[in-house]
Amino acid sequence: MCGIVGTIGNVETTEILMKGLTRLEYRGYDSAGIYVNDQAGQDHLIKTVGKIAALQAAVGPQVQGKLGIAHTRWATHGQPSVANAHPQFSPSKRFYLVHNGVISNFSELKATYLAEQTFASQTDTEVIVQLIAQFVEQEQLTTLAAFQKTLSLLAGSYALLMIDRQQPDVLYVAKNKSPLLIGLADGYNVVTSDALATYDLTDDYLELHDGELALVRENDVTILDQKGETQGREPIEIKVEADAVGKGTYPTFMLKEIDEQPAVMRRISQHYLSAAGKIAIDTDLVERLAQADRLYFVAAGTSYHASLVGKRLFERYAEIPAEAGVASEFGYHWPLLSAKPFFIFLSQSGETADSRQVLVEAKRRGLPTLVITNVANSTLAREADHHLLLHAGPEIAVASTKAYTAQIAVEAVLAKAVGARRQIAAAQELDLAGQLAMAATAMDEITDNHETWDQLAAQYLGSATDAFYLGRGIDYDVSLEAALKLKEISYVHTEGFAAGELKHGTIALIEPGVPVITFITEVATADHTRGNVQEVKARGGNVLVIASTTCQQLGDQIVIPALTAELMPLVTVVCGQLLAYYATLQRGLDVDQPRNLAKSVTVE
Ligand code: F6R
């Protein structure tokens, strides 16, 4: 979703901003813009629609200065266009502003304060910059006072950087709900919504809390709370490994990340499981979970699909009832809670606004919370009572792959730890290190054969406009994720189905040639699913069966090693990921940055 970079005090401002925007491309965007001020009265505003390359081409050598802000926009209010791209500016062209988030009361603010003004864009952001300008230019407030007054009126989420042309020695910064970090570099400062943008400039960052603002100067940062009182803040260290954010020899991030999954399994095993079978997880967390009478998993998208598997893992190995909820639904439709609930949030980015609003409410109710995330220091990691890291390395492709399998592996570690604490035999008997090692080997075999998946994608999905993934139980969970992978990057209409549900309606859509990819790894239901396969075949469906060694039959196209039932998605999903990947490449589409999608969904 939208990305922000700003800097003050470095003569290479333009390079810093453009490099930062390029690194934020992975988050998804549809337009971009940059404003640079040379601190001697010259300034430059350039905005383009489409890829950063278009902005780069439009930024000439004359764009230089020591103060600047830049933005990638993912449209919420108003279509992708130059007028709607950020920075937005005041009619007087004195104030320039970039914004991540959504201002929910922008129409009311417009009607109350800016009824006489004309607007150059359809954005909620322009309302913010016009308010600041009005309070300075008509009410004669100082810029700081106008900034504070404006912030006090805003409802919703924002990370803001604002420049007053008449004060080129300061960058105005504010945050509420949307992520923002102030990076302390050598002789200058940077501000960003994502440390990936500035990882080569500093490892030291100041975090702003919700509702705070900061005045960032070349060698100094002042943080003020909502009452205007100065706040002390120690820097935190955020290290991003340089080689982890590159593609290496891979053509795309997605393929690199699919192929990294065996290594991620081994890393999780090394990190959380000792050779002696001990589990390295905070005992306080394990104890609190062991005392819970019901677990509530909350997540979105792929992370929600991983939480469906987490529910099964905890019910089997820890014998604690569990529910999995979609965050955007859960937040506004809370179920009746049990007496001793525990909330587990799954979020690769740790920034998903839908999940965060449930976390905020859970905390308000005094309920215990854990976040399982890939990003240390992310908003959810900071705000939950406990957090566990995925150790998957940065995931750059918009479509989540290695984070899903890492989430399942970490859930399994935790379920085993809690089950062992509760003396559940299934947990005590589970050789998780062995299972993760087997999963890694099976993943290796699948990812070693790119050509097979390229051919299967061509054969089954080549000209498809619709596709179905079927399975029962744990295979149903993975069919939802495999379907999401295919639809989000190839734009083929795809559905994941509980195989038994097919004949209750959806079978009407099966006609000759429709691809139906079927996972069969659950022994107890394998025969029933085979029956569904026959029903599909009888109507001309083009069936591809992916079965485990425990369920295989002659004629199955893909056979994979069997793991303990709840861990089968670690392997089956890789088949789904590669099918989606090659079906998308064959359509000539952008695998890493699919249309309309954002990596980190920071608005509700
Ligand atoms: C799909 C995908 C999304 C995310 C969802 C939640 O490939 O990546 O469905 O899983 O937006 O994001 P996180 O996990 O960052 O909370």
Side-chain angles (χ1 to χ4, degrees):
M1 204 148 257
C2 307
I4 282 183
V5 200
T7 184
I8 182 162
N10 190 312
V11 285
E12 296 190 347
T13 288
T14 306
E15 289 75 9
I16 290 171
L17 297 180
M18 291 308 301
K19 212 195 273 180
L21 287 190
T22 305
R23 292 188 189 141
L24 294 183
E25 278 196 290
Y26 81 99
R27 300 174 71 93
Y29 67 102
D30 42 56
S31 52
I34 180 171
Y35 170 82
V36 176
N37 182 303
D38 72 357
Q39 294 183 311
Q42 284 294 316
D43 55 9
H44 311 271
L45 174 71
I46 300 143
K47 305 197 277 182
T48 52
V49 175
K51 296 287 179 192
I52 297 294
L55 183 67
Q56 186 73 66
V59 172
Q62 78 287 0
V63 180
Q64 284 186 22
K66 287 176 77 179
L67 171 68
I69 52 179
H71 190 260
T72 47
R73 174 174 187 257
W74 186 86
T76 57
H77 296 67
Q79 69 204 29
S81 67
V82 168
N84 289 334
H86 301 199
Q88 291 289 313
F89 49 86
S90 62
S92 60
K93 298 214 172 147
R94 172 172 165 184
F95 299 97
Y96 291 82
L97 181 132
V98 292
H99 166 220
N100 285 0
V102 169
I103 303 304
S104 50
N105 63 340
F106 84 102
S107 307
E108 294 91 309
L109 292 174
K110 217 169 168 175
T112 312
Y113 295 93
L114 302 165
E116 307 297 312
Q117 293 295 336
T118 47
F119 282 79
S121 79
Q122 298 153 302
T123 63
D124 50 343
T125 305
E126 191 182 356
V127 172
I128 309 174
V129 74
Q130 287 229 23
L131 279 173
I132 295 166
Q134 171 149 316
F135 295 149
V136 172
E137 290 161 3
Q138 291 180 23
E139 295 184 14
Q140 317 301 327
L141 295 187
T142 63
T143 301
L144 175 58
F147 194 56
Q148 286 170 311
K149 179 168 174 180
T150 302
L151 296 178
S152 73
L153 298 173
L154 302 181
S157 57
Y158 56 79
L160 300 175
L161 304 191
M162 197 270 291
I163 289 174
D164 174 358
R165 276 190 89 220
Q166 294 185 9
Q167 285 184 291
D169 61 339
V170 59
L171 191 51
Y172 288 84
V173 176
K175 168 194 156 29
N176 190 46
K177 296 186 188 169
S178 299
L180 201 66
L181 295 162
I182 300 170
L184 308 175
D186 194 7
Y188 64 102
N189 287 313
V190 289
V191 188
T192 180
S193 53
D194 182 337
L196 266 183
T198 50
Y199 74 86
D200 54 341
L201 306 176
T202 180
D203 291 337
D204 299 325
Y205 292 87
L206 296 175
E207 292 177 286
L208 279 192
H209 299 162
D210 285 349
E212 289 180 339
L213 68 83
L215 305 172
V216 179
R217 298 190 170 81
E218 192 168 324
N219 283 306
D220 173 61
V221 177
T222 306
I223 298 176
L224 302 177
D225 70 6
Q226 276 162 318
K227 292 189 207 126
E229 284 167 14
T230 308
Q231 303 296 301
R233 190 77 26 97
E234 286 301 311
I236 54 163
E237 188 181 70
I238 302 180
K239 269 191 186 301
V240 180
E241 299 302 327
D243 58 347
V245 294
K247 271 190 243 174
T249 54
Y250 278 88
T252 60
F253 280 107
M254 185 174 174
L255 191 61
K256 173 174 176 263
E257 289 159 10
I258 290 173
D259 279 7
E260 281 171 353
Q261 291 176 105
V264 173
M265 291 300 106
R266 294 178 182 119
R267 204 180 306 145
I268 288 172
S269 201
Q270 275 165 11
H271 189 87
Y272 287 112
L273 303 172
S274 78
K278 277 198 72 137
I279 299 185
I281 289 189
D282 174 13
T283 48
D284 177 42
L285 168 61
V286 173
E287 190 58 43
R288 289 180 88 181
L289 277 161
Q291 298 303 324
D293 66 355
R294 185 169 285 266
L295 307 179
Y296 294 85
F297 285 89
V298 178
T302 289
S303 294
Y304 166 68
H305 296 156
S307 75
L308 295 171
V309 181
K311 165 189 160 61
R312 293 184 197 272
L313 283 162
F314 270 87
E315 292 196 334
R316 171 151 176 213
Y317 292 106
E319 292 189 3
I320 304 176
E323 288 178 24
V326 169
S328 55
E329 283 296 311
F330 200 107
Y332 296 95
H333 312 94
W334 277 64
L336 276 179
L337 298 182
S338 64
K340 293 174 81 178
F342 195 109
F343 275 69
I344 301 180
F345 296 84
L346 270 75
S347 176
Q348 187 284 129
S349 62
E351 301 294 350
T352 300
D354 289 323
S355 302
R356 187 185 181 224
Q357 55 111 353
V358 183
L359 173 63
V360 168
E361 176 61 15
K363 288 185 67 179
R364 195 193 67 74
R365 296 183 185 207
L367 304 172
T369 54
L370 160 71
V371 168
I372 300 178
T373 180
N374 203 22
V375 185
N377 294 308
S378 57
T379 305
L380 272 76
R382 289 196 310 268
E383 293 181 351
D385 300 338
H386 304 269
H387 71 269
L388 289 176
L389 292 179
L390 297 177
H391 299 287
E395 191 179 66
I396 308 290
V398 164
S400 187
T401 53
K402 61 179 178 172
Y404 172 80
T405 44
Q407 283 167 339
I408 292 172
V410 173
E411 286 173 326
V413 171
L414 191 60
K416 178 174 163 67
V418 175
R421 173 71 190 81
R422 287 165 57 86
Q423 301 188 322
I424 307 297
Q428 289 163 333
E429 285 156 18
L430 174 68
D431 170 17
L432 192 52
Q435 289 286 316
L436 293 182
M438 279 167 60
T441 307
M443 288 168 160
D444 269 331
E445 278 167 24
I446 294 168
T447 52
D448 277 351
N449 284 309
H450 288 173
E451 273 171 24
T452 305
W453 296 100
D454 196 1
Q455 282 161 14
L456 286 171
Q459 186 180 343
Y460 287 90
L461 301 169
S463 55
T465 50
D466 301 277
F468 296 91
Y469 283 85
L470 300 187
R472 289 174 186 245
I474 198 76
D475 295 331
Y476 168 44
D477 296 346
V478 89
S479 76
L480 294 174
E481 174 56 13
L484 178 61
K485 280 301 84 89
L486 183 64
K487 76 177 82 158
E488 69 180 324
I489 60 173
S490 73
Y491 318 142
V492 173
H493 164 243
T494 317
E495 293 187 47
F497 257 93
E501 272 293 287
L502 198 64
K503 58 182 165 297
H504 296 290
T506 309
I507 199 161
L509 296 174
I510 304 295
E511 50 189 43
V514 170
V516 180
I517 293 132
T518 310
F519 297 109
I520 311 181
T521 74
E522 196 181 74
V523 177
T525 57
D527 287 348
H528 289 303
T529 308
R530 295 276 174 198
N532 300 128
V533 165
Q534 291 311 322
E535 290 156 9
V536 169
K537 280 186 175 167
R539 285 153 185 88
N542 196 12
V543 180
L544 165 60
V545 172
I546 298 170
S548 61
T549 44
T550 40
C551 298
Q552 85 180 92
Q553 279 189 6
L554 205 64
D556 289 346
Q557 291 85 340
I558 297 289
V559 178
I560 52 177
L563 304 174
T564 191
E566 292 76 12
L567 293 180
M568 280 313 303
L570 293 177
V571 186
T572 43
V573 80
V574 184
C575 306
Q577 293 166 351
L578 284 165
L579 283 173
Y581 179 81
Y582 283 107
T584 305
L585 272 197
Q586 289 159 12
R587 284 166 170 74
L589 298 169
D590 184 341
V591 179
D592 285 339
Q593 290 171 31
R595 70 184 180 204
N596 302 343
L597 294 180
K599 183 67 185 162
S600 181
V601 185
T602 48
V603 295
E604 278 180 38

